[in-house]
Amino acid sequence: MPPVISAAAFHRRDASASVTRLDGETMGTVWSARIVDAPADARATIEAVCDNVIAQMSHWQAGSQISRFNHAAPGGWHRIGPDFAEVMRAALDIATRSAGAFDPAMGALADLWGFGPPGPRDDLPADDEIAAAHGHGGVAAIDFDPLLLRLRRDRPVRLDLSGIAKGYAVDALGAALRQRGCTDFLVEVGGELSGSGVQPDGQPWWTDVEPPPGMAQVPLRVALHGLAIATSGDYRRGFDVAGTRHAHTIDPRTGRPVANGVVSVTVIDARCMIADGWASALTVLGPDDGMALAAREGLAALMLVREGAGVRELVSPALAAMLD
């Protein structure tokens, strides 16, 4: 349950109000929304937000701001939009707080391992290729000027915001709906969700955390009432070579996919962008370092770790307090 419950949300509710359900495609995945008393232009509002995020931060789109930055020669300043700047500010903060377990400047590694625009691969990159791509990463190469909304790099690192941009898109959808007068809704992009207010019957927006495939896990049920939730799982994307699974989550510190036994990490926060970024970072850090950092940062986190034929649940103190 959320730490704060809004009395105003219950007082304003109308049991006869209608809930509009919308869905569509964006960012290589899907979006959905459930909106109480939705305005007539709700779909257009949502699609405009998604298109704006793509135009600024999709490295899959050749003409986006991030793609133009990635393919330009190092050295010059590049103007970016305010949304891009907000995500960069959060990404760099998480990179610092996680001691490099989260790195928005690891696009070369993601591409090398087959998780970027060049497309998938079915073999392993050579050690020298990994070393070269690793050398083309790291936030130390990025200069960020948040006041003038600009970026530059001193070597050919490539930005990849896929570990945080979907979460930002969820937040941006919520903000746009609020500007249209909506107070009660559940929005989702690619499995990351945020809930505001309540349903017409007074219930919060209940959601179950997706259990990993093939695992008999009792799902965590969360009341998304002023809260957002994001999950990073090693089962979602990857490839197999000689019977070994290589997950899509790359450890920026080693340049290789994580192999620490973490099946998934779920983080709950008021902002989906923050939950998304930290879920990625904790996945890289693993059970010991990851949960220790979650405790220090006050993150509400659930980590599932392979243990023999089963799975062990690790719950952070902040999440334990929400479960009481």
Side-chain angles (χ1 to χ4, degrees):
M1 293 295 293
V4 177
I5 298 176
S6 169
F10 290 91
H11 291 155
R12 69 168 179 257
R13 72 182 180 88
D14 177 0
S16 64
S18 63
V19 179
T20 298
R21 297 170 182 257
L22 302 170
D23 60 78
E25 297 181 356
T26 188
M27 292 180 256
T29 184
V30 296
W31 63 264
S32 66
R34 295 165 62 187
I35 309 167
V36 178
D37 287 333
D41 64 348
R43 177 178 290 277
T45 297
I46 290 171
E47 290 177 342
V49 169
C50 292
D51 289 347
N52 181 58
V53 173
I54 290 172
Q56 293 188 41
M57 289 172 273
S58 173
H59 61 296
W60 296 85
Q61 296 292 322
S64 68
Q65 292 179 7
I66 194 171
S67 290
R68 294 199 300 270
F69 175 82
N70 283 344
H71 293 100
W77 286 103
H78 296 260
R79 293 297 300 270
I80 60 175
D83 305 86
F84 194 165
E86 185 175 350
V87 173
M88 280 302 301
R89 184 181 293 109
L92 293 173
D93 181 61
I94 294 174
T96 298
R97 291 176 180 272
S98 67
F102 183 84
D103 186 354
M106 56 171 284
L109 282 167
D111 290 351
L112 177 67
W113 284 96
F115 303 122
R121 64 185 302 150
D122 55 11
D123 62 348
L124 298 180
D127 289 345
D128 60 341
E129 292 179 300
I130 297 172
H134 192 250
H136 287 162
V139 296
I142 301 294
D143 287 325
F144 172 46
D145 185 342
L147 295 179
L148 295 181
L149 301 179
R150 59 182 187 170
L151 289 169
R152 69 179 176 186
R153 55 186 181 155
D154 60 21
R155 50 190 168 86
V157 302
R158 297 201 290 274
L159 293 174
D160 180 346
L161 299 175
S162 57
I164 194 170
K166 279 195 304 180
Y168 175 77
V170 171
D171 293 336
L173 291 181
L177 289 174
R178 290 187 188 93
Q179 289 178 350
R180 297 290 295 113
C182 303
T183 55
D184 306 286
F185 54 81
L186 176 72
V187 291
E188 175 256 343
V189 177
E192 325 297 21
L193 303 99
S194 179
S196 176
V198 297
Q199 301 181 62
D201 63 0
Q203 287 290 316
W205 301 100
W206 292 103
T207 185
D208 291 342
V209 176
E210 175 189 49
M215 295 184 176
Q217 202 72 23
V218 177
L220 173 68
R221 174 160 288 188
V222 181
L224 292 183
H225 174 76
L227 290 175
I229 188 168
T231 298
S232 175
D234 73 350
Y235 53 89
R236 290 186 169 180
R237 292 178 61 199
F239 63 97
D240 297 295
V241 176
T244 299
R245 183 70 171 171
H246 299 276
H248 79 283
T249 302
I250 307 294
D251 187 337
R253 303 165 302 177
T254 66
R256 300 173 183 272
V258 296
N260 53 20
V262 174
V263 179
S264 69
V265 175
T266 296
V267 177
I268 302 169
D269 193 87
R271 291 181 293 169
C272 198
M273 172 177 65
I274 302 302
D276 197 10
W278 274 116
S280 299
L282 297 181
T283 298
V284 169
L285 286 168
D288 296 333
D289 293 343
M291 295 309 291
L293 184 58
R296 292 197 300 272
E297 292 287 338
L299 301 171
L302 170 68
M303 181 180 290
L304 301 183
V305 184
R306 288 186 185 85
E307 194 168 76
V311 176
R312 178 166 52 112
E313 279 190 354
L314 302 177
V315 177
S316 71
L319 180 56
M322 294 174 68
L323 297 173
D324 287 342

